Amino acid sequence: MPPIDLGLGLGTSGLDDPVECTETVVTALEAGYRHVDTAQMYDNEAAVGEGIAAADVDRDEVVVATKVHPRNLAPGDARETAYESLDRLGLERVDLLYVHWPTKAYDPAATLPVFDELRAEGVTDHVGVSNFTPGLLREARELLDSPIVAHQVECHPRFQQPELRRLAAEFDHHLVGYSPLARGDLLDDPTLGTVADRNDASPAVVALAWALARDVVPIPKATGDHVTENLAALDLELSDADLEAIDGLAGGERTIDPDDAAWNRN
């Protein structure tokens, strides 16, 4: 098993209002979440940190993950901004530090050793990557001394990432799935609706339960009642027939697809 326990997480991309973001983190942690995901790019690390501090949950029980912005991946910038992330979060360390996108200032041979150094210095306990292709993932494994414990990518029933899921099993790291509800596009899917009705659950909970059953760590963004409702996925055991029906939704497109993403480069 990977050397870090990642359960259903709270995604914070798009939680731009500081008060709402902090309240959401508090609600999530006190409801039972133990994995909170943020990033320099989200511009909400300070609000996330305030939520972690305010929640009635011991810091050491929470996996806190953040990501270095692709503009900050030159060695000096990566180092400086990783420490700045700690300051914004109000933490002495993060549990997981990702390379967010292998674009812009990313230079594998120059960038990745800094992540080893940051781990050695105690800035982060673990190193991860995000939005890598299989080839870039293999390259990063060769260049890093630290094990890659997580690879974060878009993953949901319509975009199932079979090759990256297979590599996660082969390399023994977590595949963390962002946009596990395809930015809400899945909520009206008739197949998910049928499975949801059969299990007395919502389509969102069914999609999250599918991810967990397929060894994907979903990190849905949620606010209000949806934060606690999503936790029902942890207790929903889908039948083999239900899982196969959802597997049949594969073949859709990404919902997040920047022109400069690694998979769009020739």
Side-chain angles (χ1 to χ4, degrees), residues 10-34:
L10 176 70
T12 63
S13 174
L15 288 179
D16 302 322
D17 180 85
V19 173
E20 182 183 47
C21 182
T22 295
E23 291 176 349
T24 298
V25 172
V26 172
T27 297
L29 292 177
E30 294 187 347
Y33 287 78
R34 292 297 180 266

Side-chain angles (χ1 to χ4, degrees), residues 172-251:
D172 194 27
H173 62 244
H174 295 285
L175 192 76
V176 178
Y178 66 74
S179 296
L181 306 179
R183 291 187 160 183
D185 289 349
L186 287 174
L187 300 183
D188 296 325
D189 184 89
T191 297
L192 284 180
T194 298
V195 174
D197 290 343
R198 193 156 51 227
N199 288 275
D200 191 25
S202 70
V205 166
V206 166
L208 298 176
W210 170 86
L212 292 166
R214 294 306 189 213
D215 295 322
V216 176
V217 178
I219 51 168
K221 184 193 80 172
T223 56
D225 292 340
H226 296 301
V227 175
T228 51
E229 289 171 1
N230 286 342
L231 284 174
L234 296 172
D235 298 319
L236 177 57
E237 186 172 347
L238 297 172
S239 69
D240 288 344
D242 287 340
L243 291 170
E244 289 171 6
I246 297 169
D247 287 343
L249 297 176

Side-chain angles (χ1 to χ4, degrees), residues 78-106:
R79 168 179 293 282
E80 180 179 353
T81 61
Y83 278 94
E84 290 172 352
S85 286
L86 291 188
D87 289 341
R88 285 189 292 268
L89 286 161
L91 300 176
E92 294 181 355
R93 61 173 178 81
V94 291
D95 301 271
L96 177 55
L97 184 68
Y98 288 96
V99 176
H100 199 165
W101 291 84
T103 60
K104 295 183 170 58
Y106 180 68

Side-chain angles (χ1 to χ4, degrees), residues 27-48:
T27 297
L29 292 177
E30 294 187 347
Y33 287 78
R34 292 297 180 266
H35 173 197
V36 178
D37 182 90
T38 183
Q40 294 174 359
M41 185 182 285
Y42 305 162
D43 198 26
N44 62 10
E45 288 174 313
V48 168

Side-chain angles (χ1 to χ4, degrees), residues 157-169:
R158 287 185 185 159
F159 196 76
Q160 298 182 13
Q161 297 280 22
E163 183 175 9
L164 293 179
R165 284 164 50 201
R166 179 182 62 78
L167 288 177

